[in-house]
Each structure stands twice: as structure tokens, then as C-alpha cells.
Amino acid sequence: MRRGGGGPSVAAMGIATDIASDWHAALAALAWQHELGVEDVVLDAPLNRYQLPEPAKTAPPPVPVAMGAAPAPRAPSRPNVAPVETPPPAADAVAEARQFAARATTLDSLRDALAAFDLCDLKKGARNLVFADGNPEARVLILGEAPGRDEDMEGLPFVGRAGMLLDRMFAAIGLSRHSPDSEAALYITNVMPWRPPGNRDPEPAEIAMMRPFVARHIELADPEVIVVMGNTPLVALTGERGILRARGNWTTALNKPLLPMTHPAYLLRNPAAKREAWADLLTLQARLKGQR
Ligand code: URA
């Protein structure tokens, strides 16, 4: 088992394997590890679950020929195996994602489309689809990166430590995901609806595959402004990296005003950057109040 930053293994924590025979002891040990921050199960040696089986390399052993015997007649040159057919071209995941997303006419049907989309490998390792939270009528849509462990468990975006900070930040300018009033509400989603293993950054191909869904999500929710939190959503919507340079400066994406901000997880690691984040929140508030 591992926790963020490389935590102790099961063996190192002195858990004997015989607890597996006692369900209650196993559950208690699991709860204890969870409290310690253990997040993932890993083996002692890495195991590549995506590796394809090696094709057989060895030729069949030669048939022994008796001394002085006439050589065996040659096999006909016609191969005795069926010809290998050219495999069909790999599915174009982005084109497929576009079709799935385009067919969705409501947020509920978009969620169903994502749930039915099987070409993203992240789905295989995730516990839950993390679609969105908050009020879809909100003027402000927040786009984050990807679910972490807590979000994966609950099936909701930004419910871990970073999410708590996000809630406090936006509450400071009077916005909440729980508000039924669209003026004071937030709608929150992520570029990736499935947790990347070990919270790694989403890969460019994964972002490209999810972009049609994100674009349709924004089209259907139709917010007045978009706030992107961190590099991944900035790249997904503008094609540009460099959140520290971009933050606080309005730009346009999908025909909507877009404000880049630093990710709350970054703010947790760099508290000094909260001053700039506060300035960005005031920039957003001014825009919502009609001041530019
Ligand atoms: N970070 C994100 O970008 N999104 C979440 O939902 C949680 C953490």
C-alpha cells in the first residue's frame, strides 16, 4: 500500500497476512491504514497489467532424423496457418468522443454518454464517474483538472482538501455550489471525469479525448463565465500552458469569458500565492457586478 508521497507498505506497518482470515480485524486494519493516509494498493514488484502476452518466439524443435535415413520430404511451401488479417484501424477515440458528446442534448444525457464511453483507460481504474456538482444554472462554471482520491470515492468534484479551500475562496465573494440562486451559485466540473492513477497529471491524449465532452458540458450548462483552475483545464480550453503567467487575465474560450486561476492544491502548497488568488477572485467579482 502507498500513500501520497510514498508511505509505508503493509509489511512495514507490521500487518500479518493472517488477518485476512478475520474479517473484522482486516476491516479495522484497513480503517487504520486509511487514517494514516494510505491510498493505493501496490505490490512489492511492479506489475504491468496492460502488457500484452509475448508472441511465441521459439521455432518447433527439429524432428530427429535417423543416421543414413533419407531426408524427410519437404513440407509444401503453402503456409498451414490462416493468413493474418490486417487489424482494423484503432478506434479514433477523439472522433468517437465527439459523436458521443454531440448526441447529448441535456446534462443528464451527457452524464449517460460519459458513463457509456469506454475508450478512456482511466475509467477502468476509477471507482466512480465524477461528473459535476453545484447549480447548473450558475453564472459561474468552475473547471478543474481531475478527481483525486476523495472525489473518486464520493463521485463529486472538489470534495477533498483542495475542494474545501475552493469552497472557502468562493464563499469569500458570495458564491457557493449549494446556492439555489443562480446569482450566488457555482457549477463545478473537471476536464477528466475519472481519477488518474496515483493522481498523476492527465496525459495530452486523455485531455484531447475528453475535450469534446467538456465543450459540450459547457455548451449545455451555458454559464456566463468560466473559471479554469490550474494548467490542465487551461490547456484543454485554450491550448496554452502556463497558469502562473495566465492567471488573473481574462481571455476567451468557447465564446465565453474565461478567467484562469491557480489550482487550490497549488495554494495549499504555496500559501504565499493566496494573495494573488484573492486578487483573481476580486477580478471575477467585479466582472459579475458588471465592472470590467
Ligand atoms: N482537483 C481537481 O482539479 N478536481 C477535483 O475534483 C479535485 C481536485
Short mmCIF file of all heavy atoms in Angstrom, two decimals, residues 130 144-148 151 156-160 162-163 189-190 229 263 265, ligand 1:
data_model
loop_
_atom_site.label_atom_id
_atom_site.label_comp_id
_atom_site.label_asym_id
_atom_site.label_seq_id
_atom_site.Cartn_x
_atom_site.Cartn_y
_atom_site.Cartn_z
N VAL A 130 -16.98 11.03 -12.05
CA VAL A 130 -17.17 12.31 -11.36
C VAL A 130 -17.63 13.31 -12.41
O VAL A 130 -16.84 13.75 -13.25
CB VAL A 130 -15.85 12.77 -10.68
CG1 VAL A 130 -16.03 14.13 -10.04
CG2 VAL A 130 -15.42 11.74 -9.64
N GLY A 144 -12.08 22.23 -13.17
CA GLY A 144 -10.85 21.75 -12.54
C GLY A 144 -10.16 20.73 -13.41
O GLY A 144 -10.48 20.56 -14.60
N GLU A 145 -9.24 20.01 -12.78
CA GLU A 145 -8.37 19.12 -13.54
C GLU A 145 -8.95 17.70 -13.61
O GLU A 145 -9.39 17.24 -14.65
CB GLU A 145 -7.02 19.12 -12.84
CG GLU A 145 -6.01 18.19 -13.42
CD GLU A 145 -4.69 18.30 -12.68
OE1 GLU A 145 -4.19 19.42 -12.56
OE2 GLU A 145 -4.19 17.27 -12.22
N ALA A 146 -8.95 17.02 -12.47
CA ALA A 146 -9.35 15.61 -12.45
C ALA A 146 -9.67 15.24 -11.01
O ALA A 146 -9.13 15.85 -10.08
CB ALA A 146 -8.21 14.73 -12.96
N PRO A 147 -10.50 14.24 -10.82
CA PRO A 147 -10.79 13.82 -9.44
C PRO A 147 -9.54 13.27 -8.76
O PRO A 147 -8.69 12.66 -9.40
CB PRO A 147 -11.81 12.68 -9.62
CG PRO A 147 -12.24 12.72 -11.04
CD PRO A 147 -11.21 13.43 -11.82
N GLY A 148 -9.46 13.51 -7.47
CA GLY A 148 -8.46 12.85 -6.64
C GLY A 148 -9.13 11.70 -5.90
O GLY A 148 -10.24 11.27 -6.26
N GLU A 151 -12.63 12.55 -4.34
CA GLU A 151 -13.65 12.77 -5.37
C GLU A 151 -14.03 11.43 -6.01
O GLU A 151 -15.21 11.19 -6.30
CB GLU A 151 -13.11 13.73 -6.44
CG GLU A 151 -12.93 15.17 -5.97
CD GLU A 151 -11.70 15.38 -5.09
OE1 GLU A 151 -10.79 14.53 -5.11
OE2 GLU A 151 -11.65 16.41 -4.38
N LEU A 156 -18.02 13.08 -6.65
CA LEU A 156 -18.28 14.52 -6.78
C LEU A 156 -16.96 15.27 -6.89
O LEU A 156 -15.97 14.88 -6.26
CB LEU A 156 -19.04 15.05 -5.55
CG LEU A 156 -20.48 14.58 -5.40
CD1 LEU A 156 -21.03 14.99 -4.04
CD2 LEU A 156 -21.35 15.16 -6.53
N PRO A 157 -16.94 16.36 -7.66
CA PRO A 157 -15.68 17.10 -7.81
C PRO A 157 -15.36 17.96 -6.59
O PRO A 157 -16.27 18.44 -5.89
CB PRO A 157 -15.94 17.99 -9.04
CG PRO A 157 -17.41 18.19 -9.05
CD PRO A 157 -18.02 16.94 -8.48
N PHE A 158 -14.08 18.14 -6.34
CA PHE A 158 -13.59 19.07 -5.32
C PHE A 158 -14.26 18.88 -3.95
O PHE A 158 -14.89 19.79 -3.43
CB PHE A 158 -13.80 20.53 -5.80
CG PHE A 158 -12.75 20.98 -6.79
CD1 PHE A 158 -13.06 21.13 -8.13
CD2 PHE A 158 -11.46 21.25 -6.39
CE1 PHE A 158 -12.11 21.54 -9.05
CE2 PHE A 158 -10.49 21.68 -7.30
CZ PHE A 158 -10.81 21.83 -8.64
N VAL A 159 -14.12 17.68 -3.42
CA VAL A 159 -14.65 17.44 -2.07
C VAL A 159 -13.53 17.11 -1.07
O VAL A 159 -13.80 16.92 0.11
CB VAL A 159 -15.70 16.30 -2.05
CG1 VAL A 159 -16.97 16.73 -2.76
CG2 VAL A 159 -15.16 15.02 -2.66
N GLY A 160 -12.28 17.07 -1.54
CA GLY A 160 -11.15 16.83 -0.63
C GLY A 160 -10.62 18.14 -0.07
O GLY A 160 -11.34 19.15 -0.02
N ALA A 162 -8.39 20.27 -1.24
CA ALA A 162 -8.37 21.36 -2.22
C ALA A 162 -9.79 21.90 -2.43
O ALA A 162 -10.00 23.11 -2.57
CB ALA A 162 -7.78 20.89 -3.54
N GLY A 163 -10.75 20.99 -2.42
CA GLY A 163 -12.15 21.40 -2.62
C GLY A 163 -12.65 22.25 -1.47
O GLY A 163 -13.42 23.21 -1.68
N THR A 189 -17.11 21.36 -12.42
CA THR A 189 -16.81 20.10 -13.10
C THR A 189 -15.30 20.03 -13.35
O THR A 189 -14.56 20.95 -12.98
CB THR A 189 -17.64 19.95 -14.40
OG1 THR A 189 -17.39 18.67 -14.96
CG2 THR A 189 -17.31 21.02 -15.42
N ASN A 190 -14.85 18.95 -13.95
CA ASN A 190 -13.43 18.74 -14.23
C ASN A 190 -13.23 18.38 -15.70
O ASN A 190 -14.15 17.90 -16.35
CB ASN A 190 -12.91 17.54 -13.41
CG ASN A 190 -12.65 17.90 -11.96
OD1 ASN A 190 -12.03 18.91 -11.66
ND2 ASN A 190 -13.13 17.05 -11.06
N MET A 229 -9.20 26.25 -13.19
CA MET A 229 -8.30 26.17 -12.04
C MET A 229 -7.12 25.26 -12.40
O MET A 229 -7.26 24.04 -12.44
CB MET A 229 -9.03 25.63 -10.80
CG MET A 229 -10.39 26.24 -10.60
SD MET A 229 -10.72 27.27 -9.16
CE MET A 229 -9.34 28.05 -8.58
N HIS A 263 -4.61 26.57 -9.14
CA HIS A 263 -5.39 25.48 -8.55
C HIS A 263 -5.31 25.57 -7.02
O HIS A 263 -4.25 25.88 -6.47
CB HIS A 263 -4.81 24.15 -9.04
CG HIS A 263 -5.70 22.98 -8.79
ND1 HIS A 263 -5.84 22.41 -7.56
CD2 HIS A 263 -6.52 22.30 -9.63
CE1 HIS A 263 -6.71 21.40 -7.65
NE2 HIS A 263 -7.13 21.32 -8.90
N ALA A 265 -5.02 23.27 -4.92
CA ALA A 265 -3.98 22.38 -4.38
C ALA A 265 -2.62 23.09 -4.41
O ALA A 265 -1.78 22.92 -3.52
CB ALA A 265 -3.91 21.09 -5.19
N1 URA B 1 -8.59 18.72 -8.10
C1 URA B 1 -9.31 18.93 -9.22
O1 URA B 1 -8.82 19.55 -10.16
N2 URA B 1 -10.55 18.48 -9.27
C2 URA B 1 -11.11 17.83 -8.28
O2 URA B 1 -12.27 17.45 -8.41
C3 URA B 1 -10.36 17.61 -7.12
C4 URA B 1 -9.10 18.05 -7.05
#
